[in-house]
Every structure is written in structure tokens, then in C-alpha cells.
Amino acid sequence: MWRACPRGIGPSTKGIAPVADTWHGPPEPARRALGLAEWLRILRRGLPLVATLLICFPLLLLLRLPERWIWGLKRPVTPYLTQLVCRVGCRCLGLTRAVTGKPMKTPGAFVANHVSWLDIFVLNAGKRMYFVAKSEVAGWGGIGWLARATGTVFIRRNRAEAAAQTKLFEDRLIAGHQLLFFPEGTSTDGHQVLPFKTTLFEAFFAKRLRDRLHVQPITISYTAPAGADPRHYGWWGDMDFGPSLLQILATPGKGHVRVAYHAPLSVAEAPNRKALARAAEEAVRGGLQADGAA
């Protein structure tokens, strides 16, 4: 089963990620019993989502070939298809979105707090971006296929490959891609922001990038449906993907998520990666505190 111990994006599988990668917070919320009404709600919400995925992702893969041949790393078509799928996904999952602030238009990267596998739908629904994930994700059935199809950048936690990864980041950013990664390194219950890890920030200080890039912090804040546990959308510890998905589909009512885009941070004005990471973390944490979640 896929478990909630991601570093970067997506769930992990048992035995892949070390224990230190997982945030072990409070016990998970009690699960809703799945009776007839819940299973009918799961089918009503889930079938349109499955149908959308079955139609749109094969189409995305077909379009990716000529798109790559004509435009190379630049992808002027398929990100819109990904965005459509994620908007439909949010609707099917009973999640309404609100956005404050504006995403930057300049080259650069986004960094956000990590609450759930839902973050992928929520962030892609509002802005065309490319996620950064650990390399293991590429080999996971289903999740890995979707990640590759949407243009995820895969990285290895290996110092020997740091130069190659920096080059990959540079090429994607110079091509105009806006990358998104989760510096906390793991998902939580959504009620706090963990200290940001600074390693990936180093790539933005490369000679080809430093004077032209910005990093924009994003705060993701979820509100559970009426009557549900406030941590309803969180995904942490040893939670499995399947039960989490079923609980969200089965819960009556609609939840809410606010995506707050904060002021972009100039890489050129930051003295080093630690200072840049600290400024981004403070902005994200402040956004969560403004919503009363931290």
C-alpha cells in the first residue's frame, strides 16, 4: 500500500523511505464507517474522476510526443490538460478552492507546505507547474505513471548526483518551467509547518539562474467539511492512500482549501540558500497562522 511518508511529492511504499522521512504526529482521525450511503457517495464522486483520468491521461501521453518533437522542453499544450484533470478532481473530491494573491509570472520556483496527496490536485488546478519528487516515485504503480505523465522532475538524494540534478533544474527553469517542491520533506496534518530543508534551494544559486529567478512561497490551508475532524485532509504517519481516498470521497458535505500566494523572493538578494529557505518558511508559516491553523 502507499503510505504517507513522502519526501517531496506523493506517497511512499513500506520499506522505501527511512523512518526519519515521516512526520509522526497525533493519532489519525477515526475512520467513518462505510455503509450503503457512503459507498453510493464514493461511486457518485469517484466514477467521474476515474473516467476523467482514463480519458485525459492517454490523450496527454499522445500529445506529449509531438509536443516534445516540436517544442522540446517547452510544453505549450499538455499542462492545460493536466490543469483540467486537477480541477475536475477537486470537484469530484468535494473540495472547493479559494486563491489569495497572484502566482508570479517571472521564471522561478514555488515552495509550499505539504499536507496531503490532495496538494497535487489543488496546486495544479490553479496554476500550471511541475512538481519535484524523489526518484523512487517514478517506479510506483499508478502514482509513478501519473507523475511521469505530468512532467514531474525526479531527483535522487545522492551527493554524487548533485551536479547533474542542478543542471536538470537549470535546464527546466531556463526552458520556462515553474517548479514546485515541498521543503518540509514530508506531509503533516495541516496544522503546522515543519522546518524547511535547505538542500534544494542551492540549485537556484547557480550562475545561470541566480540573477533571473524568484522563489514564491505558497500556503495551503484546508478546512474540513462540517462535522468532520479538523485534520480530515491531512496525510501523515502510517496512513495508507486507499483508505484516505475512500474517507474523503465518503464524507458528506464539501471541504475548503485556501491557496495563498505570497510575495516572490528574489534569489539574487538572498545571501545563501539557508537565508532563502528561512524567508520562504516564515512566509508559509505566517499564512497558516493567519488562518488560525498554526
Side-chain angles (χ1 to χ4, degrees):
M1 296 293 290
W2 299 324
R3 295 187 181 278
C5 47
R7 176 173 288 278
I9 147 186
S12 180
T13 51
K14 186 176 181 180
I16 285 181
V19 174
D21 290 349
T22 307
W23 181 74
H24 289 282
E28 65 180 271
R31 293 181 181 177
R32 171 182 291 272
L34 300 181
L36 177 59
E38 284 73 23
W39 280 110
L40 289 175
R41 191 175 298 113
I42 288 170
L43 291 175
R44 178 171 55 84
R45 290 177 167 179
L47 289 178
L49 177 58
V50 171
T52 301
L53 292 171
L54 290 176
I55 293 170
C56 290
F57 275 96
L59 178 59
L60 184 149
L61 294 177
L62 288 174
L63 292 173
R64 179 64 52 79
L65 293 174
E67 187 180 51
R68 186 176 182 85
W69 180 67
I70 297 171
W71 290 286
L73 282 177
K74 295 183 178 179
R75 297 170 180 173
V77 179
T78 52
Y80 289 95
L81 193 56
T82 300
Q83 190 173 25
L84 171 65
V85 170
C86 291
R87 287 182 176 179
V88 172
C90 287
R91 290 177 63 91
C92 291
L93 292 164
L95 193 60
T96 59
R97 296 179 299 111
V99 177
T100 59
K102 293 183 178 180
M104 63 183 178
K105 296 182 178 179
T106 56
F110 301 98
V111 296
N113 58 310
H114 196 10
V115 182
S116 169
W117 55 270
L118 284 165
D119 299 345
I120 310 305
F121 283 93
V122 168
L123 292 170
N124 258 327
K127 179 72 174 71
R128 295 177 298 281
M129 58 180 64
Y130 298 92
F131 290 83
V132 177
K134 64 178 184 178
S135 58
E136 291 93 334
V137 175
W140 298 346
I143 293 291
W145 180 78
L146 294 176
R148 290 193 300 271
T150 55
T152 297
V153 180
F154 296 107
I155 61 170
R156 296 182 184 275
R157 287 171 285 172
N158 187 335
R159 291 185 180 274
E161 299 186 26
Q165 291 175 13
T166 297
K167 175 66 164 53
L168 175 62
F169 273 21
E170 290 182 39
D171 291 343
R172 294 289 291 263
L173 289 165
I174 288 174
H177 295 189
Q178 291 182 316
L179 304 181
L180 181 285
F181 65 97
F182 300 110
E184 291 169 293
T186 185
S187 53
T188 71
D189 64 357
H191 286 256
Q192 56 264 296
V193 175
L194 303 179
F196 278 14
K197 302 179 187 302
T198 66
T199 304
L200 290 180
F201 286 88
E202 184 64 34
F204 305 128
F205 289 85
K207 291 182 179 180
R208 290 198 297 166
L209 299 178
R210 177 168 183 166
D211 293 333
R212 59 190 296 180
L213 293 187
H214 287 76
V215 171
Q216 185 168 28
I218 302 173
T219 299
I220 308 172
S221 179
Y222 291 90
T223 301
D229 190 289
R231 303 163 298 157
H232 178 66
Y233 293 113
W235 193 46
W236 72 92
D238 294 324
M239 290 184 182
D240 291 323
F241 171 72
S244 173
L245 172 61
L246 290 177
Q247 287 292 306
I248 289 172
L249 290 173
T251 301
K254 290 188 176 181
H256 177 80
V257 59
R258 185 176 75 92
V259 179
Y261 290 92
H262 303 291
L265 304 171
S266 171
V267 176
E269 295 178 5
N272 52 54
R273 75 171 194 265
K274 291 185 178 181
L276 182 61
R278 183 166 57 251
E281 179 186 332
E282 289 174 354
V284 173
R285 191 184 305 278
L288 200 61
Q289 289 173 340
D291 278 349

